[in-house]
Amino acid sequence: MNKPYFRFWILVSIVAISGFSQGMLLPLIAVIFEKGGVSPSLNGLNAIALYIGILLVSPFMEMPLRKYGYKPIIIFGGALVFVSLALFPLWKTFWFWFALRMLIGIGDHSLHFATQTWITSFSPAEKRGRNISLYGLFFGIGFATGPLMTPLVNVNEALPFIVSSIVCLAGWLFVFSLKNELPEQVVNINSFLATIKQFRRALKYGWVAFLPPFSYGFLESSLNGSFPIYALRMNIDVSSVSIVLSAFAIGSIITQLPLGILSDQYGRRNILMSVLFLGFFSFTAASFLEHSFIGLFIAFLISGMVVGSTFSLGISYMTDLVPKELLPTGNLLCGIFFSLGSLSGPIIGGLFIKFLHGVSFFYIISTMLLALSFIIFTFGKKNQLELEQQN
């Protein structure tokens, strides 16, 4: 097996395991807290701890990546994730779990930032959409299986945490077989101020490409963090909630690779506009079908098929818009915008459930997707022209 091929499949497998832990944690802890009488707003606050961790570590990630390379960052992130998961059963309190989720956010972001930058750095332009879609596909496979751990809480609350910790440890060990590499040292990032300047440059060229990761973060966290609470209050049982959530992830798995290949052929902007607009229709349909398990399952499956690839498409779109020397910065900003979306999802979702009784939870998602589709339609072409003129 040749080295680049071997490296690629190890990296996407690690991402799948990370997706598994994330897909498990959001609905699992939401259900545990809801059963324990924790309010939706506090439940949402605990869910955002993971994304607070991502935001806290983001400004400090680029310097160590350029200095030490990809492999040490992935090893650090993976270790932090499996150790934190193993500690959950130790002490069941709101703030201890908040701190552990924050540490998992730091670990996950370290892992994702290093793996996606590594993949985008060695992927040729004509295969970039395909490779990043495979990255998203494997994350989606992991994320789809994660919620299926939620019913294990009925056996023992500690069991899902123990299983996920062991799975993460097994995947982490494979990283040691990879040879370390450094990103291109075109830009000298030697201070926090230099990092901020790089952020400003990347935002100038690629801000519109960071909106799809934002939308995916909002979708992921609100569906997995707030929807279980909404569903339980509609008397939908825990097993049904986990199956419906998995339908969204399964939908994204089905179309992840085809959409990535289509984006290579027809352009990232065109595909993104289309899937966001179709996502608006699918979640609007979900609002009319929310009292039917079969209706919800179909609506979530179709929604996953159209908008479940927005994160990977956003990364590919970013690589089209920003200069090559800003690639690590662009990948970092994709993670930051994903976190901002993920932070806002549980907060807005929790407040929506608390104060807007009788209004469908899915309206906030469909409205956001429609707005982003129009923003990319209006400004996406302009940003692409600016980069072409720069080159």
Side-chain angles (χ1 to χ4, degrees):
M1 188 182 291
N2 66 65
K3 190 177 76 171
Y5 187 84
F6 179 68
R7 176 182 58 193
F8 177 76
W9 288 109
I10 284 182
L11 292 177
V12 295
S13 299
I14 293 163
V15 168
I17 293 166
S18 172
F20 171 79
S21 64
Q22 286 188 35
M24 180 204 73
L25 273 183
L26 282 166
L28 174 67
I29 295 179
V31 167
I32 290 172
F33 279 161
E34 175 69 8
K35 287 186 172 182
V38 177
S39 71
S41 53
L42 280 177
N43 212 324
L45 174 64
N46 199 276
I48 67 172
L50 186 140
Y51 309 107
I52 291 172
I54 293 174
L55 288 175
L56 286 175
V57 77
S58 288
F60 309 101
M61 287 300 302
E62 192 167 355
M63 282 185 280
L65 180 76
R66 290 184 182 275
K67 184 176 180 180
Y68 301 111
Y70 303 109
K71 182 178 172 179
I73 304 300
I74 296 171
I75 289 172
F76 165 77
L80 204 54
V81 169
F82 80 73
V83 170
S84 299
L85 284 169
L87 291 174
F88 269 94
L90 192 65
W91 190 22
K92 184 186 171 183
T93 65
F94 182 91
W95 291 111
F96 182 64
W97 282 19
F98 185 94
L100 288 178
R101 290 176 95 166
M102 193 181 295
L103 290 174
I104 288 173
I106 293 170
D108 264 331
H109 188 52
S110 302
L111 190 153
H112 281 284
F113 171 53
T115 52
Q116 74 190 36
T117 306
W118 206 350
I119 291 170
T120 53
S121 69
F122 66 69
S123 296
E126 67 275 10
K127 290 185 177 180
R128 188 176 295 140
R130 170 192 169 274
N131 284 356
I132 294 299
S133 68
L134 282 169
Y135 170 94
L137 173 63
F138 272 68
F139 180 84
I141 290 170
F143 205 85
T145 55
L148 298 177
M149 295 289 103
T150 306
L152 291 180
V153 76
N154 297 322
V155 180
N156 189 301
E157 275 192 4
L159 188 57
F161 300 109
I162 294 168
V163 170
S164 61
S165 179
I166 292 169
V167 170
C168 288
L169 172 61
W172 178 76
L173 293 172
F174 280 97
V175 184
F176 290 90
S177 65
L178 298 178
K179 184 181 178 181
N180 189 32
E181 290 183 0
L182 296 170
E184 287 188 19
Q185 301 297 321
V186 179
V187 182
N188 185 23
I189 305 294
N190 54 18
S191 69
F192 180 74
L193 185 60
T195 300
I196 298 302
K197 287 180 179 177
Q198 291 300 102
F199 280 9
R200 290 177 64 185
R201 283 191 65 208
L203 281 167
K204 176 188 173 184
Y205 290 108
W207 68 269
V208 73
F210 302 131
L211 297 179
F214 173 91
S215 70
Y216 186 78
F218 186 96
L219 274 170
E220 179 192 276
S221 63
S222 59
L223 289 180
N224 289 279
S226 298
F227 173 69
I229 301 167
Y230 182 74
L232 288 173
R233 294 191 173 196
M234 291 173 60
N235 297 317
I236 299 174
D237 63 84
V238 174
S239 296
S240 297
V241 171
S242 66
I243 293 169
V244 167
L245 288 174
S246 293
F248 179 87
I250 290 165
S252 71
I253 290 167
I254 293 168
T255 56
Q256 189 87 223
L257 186 56
L259 285 173
I261 294 170
L262 285 172
S263 75
D264 285 332
Q265 294 179 344
Y266 299 106
R268 247 70 74 175
R269 174 175 171 266
N270 294 331
I271 300 300
L272 276 166
M273 284 190 302
S274 302
V275 297
L276 288 168
F277 196 66
L278 290 171
F280 157 71
F281 281 111
S282 62
F283 276 107
T284 301
S287 68
F288 294 102
L289 301 168
E290 60 186 16
H291 295 287
S292 164
F293 169 74
I294 295 173
L296 267 184
F297 182 89
I298 294 170
F300 268 58
L301 183 67
I302 294 170
S303 298
M305 291 174 70
V306 292
V307 294
S309 304
T310 47
F311 183 77
S312 57
L313 287 171
I315 294 172
S316 301
Y317 190 30
M318 176 274 298
T319 61
D320 294 340
L321 295 181
V322 304
K324 191 172 182 181
E325 70 270 15
L326 292 174
L327 195 57
T329 311
N331 277 284
L332 199 55
L333 281 166
C334 282
I336 290 172
F337 272 77
F338 168 80
S339 305
L340 291 171
S342 302
L343 277 167
S344 57
I347 294 172
I348 294 172
L351 292 172
F352 193 96
I353 294 167
K354 187 174 181 179
F355 295 110
L356 294 176
H357 303 289
V359 180
S360 176
F361 169 75
F362 299 111
Y363 287 150
I364 54 173
I365 296 173
S366 60
T367 303
M368 177 200 66
L369 294 174
L370 181 63
L372 291 188
S373 179
F374 279 114
I375 290 170
I376 292 173
F377 172 76
T378 307
F379 298 102
K381 193 73 173 178
K382 181 182 175 184
N383 282 52
Q384 217 151 5
L385 289 171
E386 283 181 3
L387 182 63
E388 288 168 5
Q389 290 169 3
Q390 178 75 13
N391 294 334

